[in-house]
């Protein structure tokens, strides 16, 4: 994927900001539109942008497929584990057990924040993995 | 009185069938397997003899035996009732079963485990059918017998056997479903499954359905077409049990459930008369067609199968008359037919065992080599033709007495059938045992003792039941029908009168005449048909065959379904359009039509 | 811990599913352990539920109608027992296949977990979510051997299933618009008011939901995906599909009809007549098509359509006896059809072909499997003393009691046609093999094992179940009666 030098540089510069934006969406899920899934997609988009502007092989070297797979599974396992924490601490599954702070601040949603982060990581990893799989099939369909 | 005897009679064979499957595995060699099976059959025999004997004593005293097991939410649960009719048929079926199973030990050489377990299941199910107290139990055991019989028919697994079995199971299941339909209709009307429900129901369609179902099971024309294929295709001992017992279950159904409607002892209703006429005419037609078709057969077992149809016609004739004499005659003939038809099939099985041939063309001159088989076969043939002093003569005499008041036509039909039966058996015996012997039969020797023993016992029973006809009639048959026929009578039938002697003479002479004429005309006899009439008869038989009608119906159904299958598309778009169409239709229906 | 059981039953296979993705060695043990755990959990609670005490569990501590509740009552218990029991047997059956990787067990566990999710949840949108999850897992499972035919079958199922679930969602949306809540029992309370005020909207939602579920159940005009999907899938998945997945559609239909739209509404809009007509049509269609199939698994798939028609007739009749018969037939069909598909799997593997003609002589090779096949097909036809007879009889009795004699005739005709095609297969099984048969003859006298132990024992257990339920139908009926009592007593005040 030989793109021009301009695109490659811009993409490289934009990458951290997109990642930041993704994390912003994830962490403010309980305060503003957004949340785990949306933020995760944005994170995945960052990686896709890199892959499109540079070459797939380079991106795969940096963000290895194996790690992304592992991250994805860890994401959902974290989710279930957090749910179980709810049970162990005496409440129902997925019930909130963290102190609720003032509404309007980040640390106010209780368990929501942690769940959002877990989902966000999972979705980011998942989107990237799907993208890798689709690209690998190019020319074979 | 309540007891567990009926339950044990049914459960023990079923349980031992399981034992056969579990213990007689393929690890032993065949001789050991046979020994083990012999032990099991012996156990069954002793158990059944004791149980049946005990029940017989109780019933002779005048009680009926009831038994209940697992009474669950209706309609499920085993409920038994044993009275005279049931015990007689149970005893006869047990005797025949014993003969067949001992015979099978020397005869059946393959797949022993499956064969004997199925045989035991059939014994248990037949007892269950006749001991059943309510209609659902009757149906359950009836179905069990039908399915077990299917697997026995296809025992040899040849193409012929498989096709015959397929036809059998389809027709039997259709008959069973008709019976089930009538049972359900009875339940809805009367609220219970009692056996008397059939005659209490007011809807006329119910007994007709039941009757047609029983006709299919009994092999009555025009629903008989499975019989000439299924009975010859089965191994000989199985054929003996099939012809001897399984088709009698259909007759038992008619006796138990339909007979009370047949104008007996009740004010004559139109419907009762209709049923009378239906049963009598079915019986008469079966008699004639059975024997006519039997005359032209060249395969030994197929000939005997057609004779089964004919003799079932006799039984139905007796039942359909609606009088106590008629019922007695029908029942007596049922018992006798079980014995002599079983004997005939066993004899022919012995012939096949000794010579390996089934077609009349290939047999002949065997009387010197297998004398015991010959003599038992002659006894059976004389019995079925109604010659004194054998049992067939006794029951036919009772039947003749019964139809004495019903006009000339029935008597004529009976005489003609008897004569033609005699002629047909002249042909059978003559071509099989007498005549010139073929070269390849030089090596034929007598069958082993386990095959001959049941045959001899059955032959002795034929003789016994014939000579002591009066005793048998008045002690066993009358008390058997006592439950259905009130009050209990002593039937006055004279067996050794001038009338019966003349009848016999007529039968014998006209039988000879018919035989000689027909063989001269080439109508019967071996494959070579010198005369045109013979081939004309063959063509006629083929053209008028009812079997062809049924097969054509089946082929038509198959073609229709194939057309449906080819029309059914695999295209996704069509299916999605169907979805939308359904949605719109449901909308329209619910919105505008209903609400 | 005991109070958390409903969610644990759902989470245990789900957790195991994701753990299975991490390991390769322990995938089978994990799957079986999780399913056994779920079965243990459900049995602990079953006696309590059968005595009429339903269990409610609030997810996340939020009470309904805001939160998502899990409700385990008699109907849910019944269906979840079927799902878990058969799921375990299917996992055991899949063990000998060496080439089923982690993805297979992952998808299997996800599908089982989401089935239980559909059954237990009391929030109708949550039901939709779990159902979509289930369908996704199924699409992937059908296409697991990535051949062209399976991909096409899976694609057809995907499109039609997606359309069906979209209709379902649309119906749910209408319900929400009318009643303002998503909890099933709260909707039921508000339904009578809503029904009187905007009848047409209620009807529209009902039609949409019914059509959506009809696609999943494969009612007659909506069945197009089923023959391909069930026949092309690998055998354990066919058993899962035919035996369990279509039953989930029936569960949703029953739940929506009887819990949301109460039984009275159902009758008022006389949709029970429509259900009966569609059921009869499905019945005859399935039987006729099955008669002429030459592919064994396709024949079994059409037979599923056949039997589901009978269940629909039972549901449509709506009386107590009819519902008992219908639910009992659901149980019986699950057991029998799984047996048949398991046996078919072994037969096809041994004979190397899916054509019925190629299976000749199978009885000579494996008499026990043939025996199981015979028993299960006799049950499908409706021959006593096997369980299919009991349930068919109950439905026939219910039909006649309600006055629909025609239905009984149709059921019996279809049973006769079933006899025709099942005995055709049995006949071939018993016939002698052709001379040039591809069947490997076991000359050494030993059966080639190929892990037959794991394939055979589920079949034996299921066959024993068939016979047991047939000889003592009271066992099955006692399981079904509380559920039916629940359905019929739920009258919206």
């Amino acid at each position: 994927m030989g793109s021009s030098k301009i695109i490659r540089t811009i993409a490289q510069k934009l990458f951290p900001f997109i990642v930041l934006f993704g994390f912003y969406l994830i962490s403010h899920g309980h305060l503003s539109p957004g949340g785990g899934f949306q933020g995760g997609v944005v994170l995945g988009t960052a990686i896709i942008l890199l892959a499109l502007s540079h070459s797939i092989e380079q991106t795969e070297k940096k963000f290895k497929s194996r790690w992304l797979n592992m991250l994805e599974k860890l994401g959902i396992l974290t989710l279930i584990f957090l749910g179980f924490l709810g049970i162990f601490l005496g409440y129902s599954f997925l019930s909130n057990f963290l102190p609720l702070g003032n509404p309007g601040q980040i640390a106010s949603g209780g368990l929501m924040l942690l769940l959002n982060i877990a989902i966000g990581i999972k979705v980011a990893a998942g989107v990237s993995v799907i993208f890798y799989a689709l690209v690998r099939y190019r020319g074979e369909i | 009185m309540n007891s567990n005897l009926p339950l044990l009679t049914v459960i023990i064979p079923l349980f031992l069938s399981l034992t056969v499957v579990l213990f007689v595995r393929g690890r032993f060699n065949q001789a050991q397997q046979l020994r083990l099976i012999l032990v099991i059959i012996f156990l069954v025999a002793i158990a059944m003899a004791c149980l049946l004997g005990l029940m017989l004593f109780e019933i002779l005293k005048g009680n009926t035996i009831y038994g209940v097991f697992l009474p669950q939410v209706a309609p499920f649960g085993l409920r038994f009732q044993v009275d005279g009719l049931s015990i007689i048929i149970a005893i006869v079926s047990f005797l025949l079963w014993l003969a067949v199973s001992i015979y099978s030990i020397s005869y059946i050489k393959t797949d022993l485990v499956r064969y004997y377990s199925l045989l035991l299941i059939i014994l248990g199910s037949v007892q269950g059918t006749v001991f059943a107290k309510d209609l659902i139990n009757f149906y359950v055991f009836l179905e069990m017998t039908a399915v077990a019989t299917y697997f026995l028919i296809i025992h040899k697994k040849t193409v012929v056997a498989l096709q015959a079995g397929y036809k059998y199971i389809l027709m039997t299941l259709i008959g069973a479903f008709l019976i089930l339909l009538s049972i359900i209709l009875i339940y809805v009307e009367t609220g219970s499954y009692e056996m008397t429900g059939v005659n209490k129901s007011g809807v006329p369609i119910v007994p007709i359905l039941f009757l047609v179902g029983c006709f299919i099971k009994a092999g009555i024309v025009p629903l008989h077409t499975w019989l000439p294929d299924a009975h010859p295709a089965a191994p000989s001992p199985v054929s003996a049990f099939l012809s001897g017992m399984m088709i009698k279950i259909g007759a038992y159904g008619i006796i138990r459930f339909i007979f009370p409607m047949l104008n007996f002892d009740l004010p004559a209703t139109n419907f009762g008369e209709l049923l009378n006429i239906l049963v009598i005419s079915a019986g008469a037609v079966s008699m004639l067609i059975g024997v006519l078709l039997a005359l032209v057969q060249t395969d030994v077992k197929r000939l005997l199968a057609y004779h089964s149809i004919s003799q079932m016609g006799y039984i139905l004739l007796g039942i359909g008359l609606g009088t106590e004499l008629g019922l007695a005659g029908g029942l007596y003939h049922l018992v006798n037919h079980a014995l002599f038809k079983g004997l005939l099939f066993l004899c022919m099985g012995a012939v096949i065992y000794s010579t390996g041939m089934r077609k009349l063309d290939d047999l002949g001159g065997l009387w010197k080599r297998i004398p015991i088989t010959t003599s038992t076969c002659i006894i059976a043939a004389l019995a079925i033709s109604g010659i004194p002093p054998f049992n067939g003569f006794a029951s036919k005499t009772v039947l003749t007495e019964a139809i004495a008041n019903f006009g000339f036509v029935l008597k004529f039909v009976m005489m003609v059938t008897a004569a033609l039966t005699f002629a047909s058996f002249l042909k059978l015996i003559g071509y099989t045992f007498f005549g010139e012997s073929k070269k390849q039969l030089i090596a034929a020797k007598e069958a082993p003792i386990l095959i001959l023993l049941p045959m001899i016992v059955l032959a002795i029973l034929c003789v016994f039941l014939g000579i002591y006809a009066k005793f048998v009639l008045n002690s066993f048959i009358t008390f058997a029908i006592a439950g259905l026929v009130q009050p209990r009578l002593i039937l006055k039938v004279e067996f050794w009168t001038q009338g019966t002697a003349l009848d016999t003479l007529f039968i014998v002479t006209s039988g000879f005449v018919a035989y000689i004429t027909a063989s001269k005309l080439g109508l019967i006899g071996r494959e070579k048909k010198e005369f045109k009439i013979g081939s004309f008869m063959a063509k006629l038989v083929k053209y008028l065959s009812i079997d062809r009608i049924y097969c054509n119906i089946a082929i038509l159904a198959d073609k229709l379904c194939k057309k449906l299958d080819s029309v059914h598309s695999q295209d996704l778009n069509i299916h999605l359009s169907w979805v939308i169409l359904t949605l719109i239709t449901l909308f329209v229906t619910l919105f505008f039509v209903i609400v | 811990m005991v109070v958390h059981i409903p969610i644990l039953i759902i989470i245990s296979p789900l957790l195991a599913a994701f753990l299975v993705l991490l390991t390769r060695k322990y995938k089978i043990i994990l799957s079986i352990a999780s399913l056994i755990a779920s079965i243990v959990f459900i049995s602990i609670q079953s006696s309590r539920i059968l005595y009429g005490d339903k269990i409610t569990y609030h997810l996340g501590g939020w009470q309904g109608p805001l939160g998502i509740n899990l409700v385990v009552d008699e109907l849910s218990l019944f269906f979840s027992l079927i799902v878990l029991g058969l799921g375990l047997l299917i996992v055991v059956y899949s063990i000998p296949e060496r080439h089923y990787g982690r993805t297979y067990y992952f998808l299997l566990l996800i599908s089982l977990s989401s089935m239980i999710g559909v059954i237990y949840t009391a929030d109708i949108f949550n039901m939709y979510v779990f159902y979509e999850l289930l369908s996704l897992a199924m699409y992937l499972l059908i296409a697991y051997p990535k051949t062209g035919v399976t991909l096409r079958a899976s694609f057809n199922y995907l499109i039609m299933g997606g359309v069906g679930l979209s209709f379902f969602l649309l119906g749910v949306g209408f319900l929400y618009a009318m009643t303002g809540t998503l909890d099933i029992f709260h909707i039921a309370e508000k339904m009578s008011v809503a029904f009187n005020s905007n009848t047409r909207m209620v009807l529209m939602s009902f039609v949409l939901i019914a059509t959506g579920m009809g696609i999943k159940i494969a009612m007659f005009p909506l069945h197009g995906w089923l023959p391909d999907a069930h026949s092309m899938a690998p055998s354990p998945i066919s058993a899962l599909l035919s035996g369990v997945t279509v039953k989930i559609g029936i569960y949703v239909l029953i739940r929506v009809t009887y819990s949301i739209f109460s039984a009275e509404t159902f009758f008022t809009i006389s949709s029970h007549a429509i259900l009966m007509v569609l059921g009869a049509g499905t019945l005859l269609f399935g039987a006729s098509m099955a008669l002429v199939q030459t592919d064994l698994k396709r024949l079994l798939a059409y037979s599923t359509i056949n039997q589901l028609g009978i269940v629909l007739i039972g549901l449509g009749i709506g009386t107590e006896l009819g519902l008992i018969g219908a639910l009992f037939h659901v149980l019986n069909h699950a057991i029998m059809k799984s047996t048949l598909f398991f046996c078919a799997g072994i037969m096809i593997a041994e004979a190397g072909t899916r054509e019925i003609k190629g299976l000749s002589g199978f009885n000579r090779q494996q008499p026990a499997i043939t025996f199981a096949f015979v028993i299960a097909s006799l049950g499908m036809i409706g021959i006593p003393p096997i369980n299919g007879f009991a349930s068919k009889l109950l439905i026939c009795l219910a039909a006649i009691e309600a006055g629909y004699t025609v239905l009984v005739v149709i059921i019996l005709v279809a049973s006769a046609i079933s006899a025709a095609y099942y005995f055709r297969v049995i006949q071939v099984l018993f016939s002698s093999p052709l001379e040039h048969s591809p069947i490997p003859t076991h000359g050494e006298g030993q059966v080639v094992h190929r892990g037959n132990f794991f394939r055979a024992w589920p079949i034996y257990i299921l066959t024993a179940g068939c016979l047991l339920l047939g000889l003592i139908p009271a066992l099955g009926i006692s399981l079904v009666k509380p559920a039916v009592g629940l359905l019929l007593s739920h009258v919206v005040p």
Side-chain angles (χ1 to χ4, degrees), chain B residues 424-440:
Chain B
S424 166
F425 275 93
L426 273 180
K427 162 182 149 189
L428 181 71
I429 303 288
Y431 286 2
T432 316
F433 296 109
F434 300 101
E436 82 251 19
S437 61
K438 305 282 157 66
K439 274 195 288 279
Q440 59 264 37

Side-chain angles (χ1 to χ4, degrees), chain C residues 232-437:
Chain C
M232 300 304 170
S235 291
I237 303 304
S238 296
L240 185 66
L241 278 171
S242 260
V244 191
T245 315
V246 288
K247 310 301 189 299
I248 306 289
I250 293 187
Y251 167 79
V252 172
L253 191 65
I254 296 182
R255 185 57 93 183
V256 164
T257 313
Y258 283 94
S259 294
I260 298 188
F261 308 88
S262 69
E264 291 175 346
T265 326
F266 189 44
F267 279 102
T268 325
I269 59 180
S270 72
S271 43
H272 66 292
I274 299 181
L275 202 56
M276 277 193 285
V277 167
L278 281 176
T282 315
L283 184 59
L284 286 175
F285 176 77
S288 319
M289 294 294 281
L291 189 58
V292 293
Q293 295 300 320
T294 51
D295 179 333
L296 178 64
K297 288 178 67 165
R298 224 172 146 80
L299 185 141
L300 292 176
Y302 277 113
S303 174
T304 301
I305 300 184
N306 195 352
Q307 304 295 321
L308 284 176
I310 297 185
V311 173
L312 287 174
I313 290 181
L315 284 180
I317 297 175
T319 65
E320 182 188 355
L321 201 57
L323 283 175
I324 292 182
L327 286 180
F328 192 30
H329 201 68
V330 163
L331 175 64
N332 290 339
H333 178 244
I335 297 181
M336 292 188 291
K337 195 37 80 65
S338 308
T339 318
L340 286 174
F341 268 115
F342 284 166
C343 296
I346 296 188
M347 288 178 199
I348 293 177
E350 296 274 339
T353 166
R354 293 161 59 127
E355 297 289 313
I356 295 181
K357 290 191 280 290
L359 295 172
S360 56
F362 192 75
N363 179 46
R364 184 67 53 214
Q365 287 186 296
Q366 305 219 26
I369 304 290
T370 319
F371 176 70
F373 190 88
V374 165
I375 295 279
S377 32
L378 289 180
M380 300 285 274
I381 302 173
I383 293 187
I386 307 179
N387 51 4
F389 167 69
S391 44
K392 272 194 188 177
L393 183 67
L394 285 176
I395 294 184
C396 287
L397 288 173
I400 290 222
E401 261 182 12
Y404 305 108
T405 317
V406 160
L407 281 181
V408 176
V409 173
I410 293 181
I411 293 182
L412 288 179
V413 165
S415 301
I417 302 183
S418 318
Y421 59 76
Y422 274 117
F423 272 104
R424 187 158 59 95
V425 179
I426 294 180
Q427 193 180 335
V428 168
L429 288 178
F430 276 91
S431 65
S432 329
L434 316 164
E435 289 84 31
H436 54 281
S437 72

Side-chain angles (χ1 to χ4, degrees), chain C residues 115-306:
Chain C
M115 278 187 220
I116 312 270
V118 170
I119 296 176
Y120 281 174
T121 181
D123 179 296
I124 200 164
F125 183 73
N126 200 14
M127 201 183 270
Y128 167 77
V129 169
F130 270 122
Y131 213 139
E132 276 281 13
L133 192 57
L134 165 65
S135 308
L136 275 174
M138 279 290 127
Y139 305 148
L140 292 170
L141 276 174
I142 295 176
Y144 190 76
K146 301 180 186 61
T147 63
V149 232
T150 58
L151 284 174
R152 215 239 333 225
S154 169
F155 181 71
N156 281 358
Y157 184 25
L158 192 155
I159 299 291
M160 287 195 81
V163 167
L165 281 174
S166 313
F167 284 161
F168 183 73
L169 188 60
L170 210 52
V172 166
F174 276 120
L175 280 177
Y176 180 64
M178 284 186 291
T179 57
T181 169
L182 282 175
D183 188 273
I184 290 182
F185 299 103
H186 287 268
I187 295 182
E189 282 171 20
K190 303 206 171 113
M191 182 50 66
S192 52
V193 170
F195 185 64
N196 293 327
S197 51
N198 12 11
T199 314
R200 293 244 166 124
M201 212 144 127
V202 168
L203 280 184
M204 181 174 305
S205 71
F206 178 71
V207 166
L208 282 169
I209 293 183
T211 312
M213 281 304 116
I215 296 183
K216 285 299 196 174
I217 303 177
M219 285 204 284
F220 164 53
L222 315 167
H223 65 282
W225 56 274
L226 195 142
D228 294 319
H230 285 210
S231 54
M232 300 304 170
S235 291
I237 303 304
S238 296
L240 185 66
L241 278 171
S242 260
V244 191
T245 315
V246 288
K247 310 301 189 299
I248 306 289
I250 293 187
Y251 167 79
V252 172
L253 191 65
I254 296 182
R255 185 57 93 183
V256 164
T257 313
Y258 283 94
S259 294
I260 298 188
F261 308 88
S262 69
E264 291 175 346
T265 326
F266 189 44
F267 279 102
T268 325
I269 59 180
S270 72
S271 43
H272 66 292
I274 299 181
L275 202 56
M276 277 193 285
V277 167
L278 281 176
T282 315
L283 184 59
L284 286 175
F285 176 77
S288 319
M289 294 294 281
L291 189 58
V292 293
Q293 295 300 320
T294 51
D295 179 333
L296 178 64
K297 288 178 67 165
R298 224 172 146 80
L299 185 141
L300 292 176
Y302 277 113
S303 174
T304 301
I305 300 184
N306 195 352

